[in-house]
């Protein structure tokens, strides 16, 4: 939020963005009006030039590298993409650490298993996929909440434990 703008100016900008883009990008947690303005100016509302969200994320420079073998990057130069929209999404992703939403919870989970710059890039990639879906399908963003993330995480951990138990010839039993 720009401290030099009044609430009335923020509201006018918000309405204009919704009209131009066709959807409310600020409904996504961590994306404010300033970020949405950058995205609107760089992308526009028509993303038909990108056949899939993977193409869109690759153009932004947020797609994971494909030159990986055995979990390690292969030697060679990576293509550096400097893009204002990607920079805005990375900035929005870095704010996600303190956000009490599904995106914030998934970002904090990423921070536990990877370094900060990779986690920010991965969260920006998640935001880019959401934006692509919103702009191409015209559907509003629906917040899932931290409870949804924690439930998915619990289910994933339970499935992993069941796989490990089967591999060891054991069977899990729920405690009463």
């Amino acid at each position: 939020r720009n401290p030099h703008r009044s609430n009335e100016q923020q509201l006018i900008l918000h309405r204009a963005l919704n009209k131009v883009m066709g959807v409310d990008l600020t409904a996504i947690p961590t994306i404010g009006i300033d970020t949405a303005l950058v995205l609107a100016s760089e992308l526009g509302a028509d993303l038909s030039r990108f056949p899939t969200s993977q193409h869109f994320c690759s153009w932004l420079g947020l797609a994971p590298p494909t030159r990986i073998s055995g979990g390690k990057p292969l030697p060679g130069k990576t293509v550096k993409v400097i893009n204002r929209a990607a920079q805005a999404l990375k900035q929005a992703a870095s704010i996600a650490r303190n956000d009490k939403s599904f995106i914030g919870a998934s970002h904090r989970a990423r921070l536990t298993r990877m370094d900060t710059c990779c986690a920010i890039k991965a969260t920006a990639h998640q935001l880019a996929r959401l934006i692509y879906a919103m702009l191409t399908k015209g559907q509003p963003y629906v917040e899932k909440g931290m409870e949804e993330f924690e439930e998915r995480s619990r289910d994933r951990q339970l499935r992993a434990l069941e796989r490990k138990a089967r591999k060891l010839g054991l069977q899990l039993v729920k405690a009463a």
Side-chain angles (χ1 to χ4, degrees):
R1 181 183 146 120
N2 189 338
H4 303 293
R5 287 193 203 123
S6 68
N7 286 341
E8 186 178 330
Q9 290 172 327
Q10 293 276 1
L11 188 62
I12 291 168
L13 274 175
H14 190 261
R15 285 186 189 140
L17 271 170
N18 288 352
K19 189 174 181 183
V20 169
M21 299 302 278
V23 290
D24 183 13
L25 293 179
T26 60
I28 300 173
T30 74
I31 294 192
I33 289 183
D34 293 328
T35 305
L37 280 170
V38 170
L39 295 172
S41 68
E42 291 293 312
L43 306 172
D46 182 26
L47 297 183
S48 62
R49 62 186 180 269
F50 305 109
T52 64
S53 66
Q54 288 90 346
H55 287 89
F56 176 61
C57 292
S58 178
W59 177 80
L60 286 170
L62 298 174
T66 55
R67 294 180 41 81
I68 296 175
S69 176
K72 300 206 183 254
L74 293 173
K77 288 190 173 186
T78 59
V79 179
K80 292 284 183 193
V81 178
I82 299 171
N83 190 316
R84 285 183 63 221
Q87 289 172 336
L89 287 174
K90 285 180 184 178
Q91 188 174 12
S94 67
I95 298 168
R97 175 181 286 177
N98 301 324
D99 196 56
K100 291 178 177 27
S101 65
F102 185 88
I103 291 171
S106 59
H107 180 67
R108 286 187 293 280
R110 285 184 188 105
L111 284 170
T112 61
R113 60 181 194 269
M114 56 179 74
D115 62 336
T116 305
C117 64
C118 290
I120 287 173
K121 185 175 178 180
T123 303
H125 184 245
Q126 179 184 13
L127 291 172
R129 287 192 321 265
L130 280 171
I131 289 166
Y132 182 85
M134 286 176 71
L135 290 175
T136 54
K137 296 176 184 164
Q139 296 175 337
Y141 174 76
V142 178
E143 174 57 42
K144 297 174 188 169
M146 285 178 56
E147 298 81 22
E148 170 84 16
F149 178 82
E150 289 168 1
E151 184 180 323
R152 283 186 184 183
S153 179
R154 231 182 344 269
D155 291 345
R156 204 171 29 249
Q157 288 173 349
L158 184 61
R159 285 194 310 272
L161 281 172
E162 287 171 344
R163 271 195 312 271
K164 195 169 231 176
R166 269 197 314 271
K167 192 174 180 182
L168 295 171
L170 303 171
Q171 185 176 4
L172 292 180
V173 180
K174 282 191 175 183

